[in-house]
Amino acid sequence: MRRISLAALTIATIVLAVAHPAVAATRPATITIEHRASQLYPYDPSYEGEGPDYPATRVLGEVRRCPTGYYFLSASLHQDGLPTLWATSGHGAGEVTCNGGTVSISMSFYRTDPVLHTGRATVRFELHDAYVGTTLTETTRTVKIPR
């Protein structure tokens, strides 16, 4: 019978203890926000479109490694320390469906008084599980609203 050295036994133990790459923990989901928002455009928040229009901007983002499932986007934009409203009336605004990969997200914002203007603003995007409400990922970024 052959004797196994202590060194060989130690190496075998280490090899067996290391997880296979496919079993290793996956990296968590992350959100990236574009550094530039859209140019200001006219937005009418009235129910029947009778005006007036207010300047609005759209912010784009991307969720990487988004686990398969349904999520709600919580989005905010602050300019000059003041909050804004979502510039959308679409059913399903803020709903995100992930398939385990990368998904694009966006939200548009406006404010009536004082109105949005070109310059810097702070945007926060958070993604929450649609069923239990837990936060999947979140990020904040200063963006520029161009002329």
Side-chain angles (χ1 to χ4, degrees), residues 17-18 37 50 56 64 80 95 97 99 101 104-105 114 127 138 144 146:
V18 173
E50 67 270 6
R64 291 189 180 101
D80 302 327
E95 293 180 7
T97 302
N99 63 3
S104 296
I105 55 176
L127 211 55
E138 58 191 312
K144 176 147 176 59

Side-chain angles (χ1 to χ4, degrees), residues 33-38 57-60 74-86 107-111 116-126 138-146:
I33 298 173
E34 296 272 333
H35 73 280
R36 287 177 62 112
S38 73
T57 189
R58 183 175 184 205
V59 178
L60 303 175
S74 174
S76 64
L77 182 142
H78 285 76
Q79 189 178 52
D80 302 327
L82 299 171
T84 59
L85 301 169
W86 285 7
M107 186 54 67
S108 296
F109 303 92
Y110 80 101
R111 189 173 57 214
L116 286 178
H117 56 85
T118 59
R120 298 197 180 280
T122 302
V123 176
R124 181 163 183 81
F125 280 173
E126 299 176 23
E138 58 191 312
T139 195
T140 301
R141 181 173 197 165
T142 299
V143 300
K144 176 147 176 59
I145 302 172

Side-chain angles (χ1 to χ4, degrees), residues 13-95:
T13 303
I14 290 171
V15 168
L16 291 173
V18 173
H20 185 276
V23 184
T26 59
R27 293 173 40 202
T30 59
I31 296 175
T32 303
I33 298 173
E34 296 272 333
H35 73 280
R36 287 177 62 112
S38 73
Q39 290 183 326
L40 293 172
Y41 63 89
Y43 174 73
D44 178 359
S46 65
Y47 182 71
E48 295 193 17
E50 67 270 6
D53 288 338
Y54 297 97
T57 189
R58 183 175 184 205
V59 178
L60 303 175
E62 185 175 81
V63 184
R64 291 189 180 101
R65 295 177 299 281
C66 189
T68 300
Y70 300 101
Y71 300 91
F72 292 135
L73 174 64
S74 174
S76 64
L77 182 142
H78 285 76
Q79 189 178 52
D80 302 327
L82 299 171
T84 59
L85 301 169
W86 285 7
T88 181
S89 57
H91 180 68
E95 293 180 7

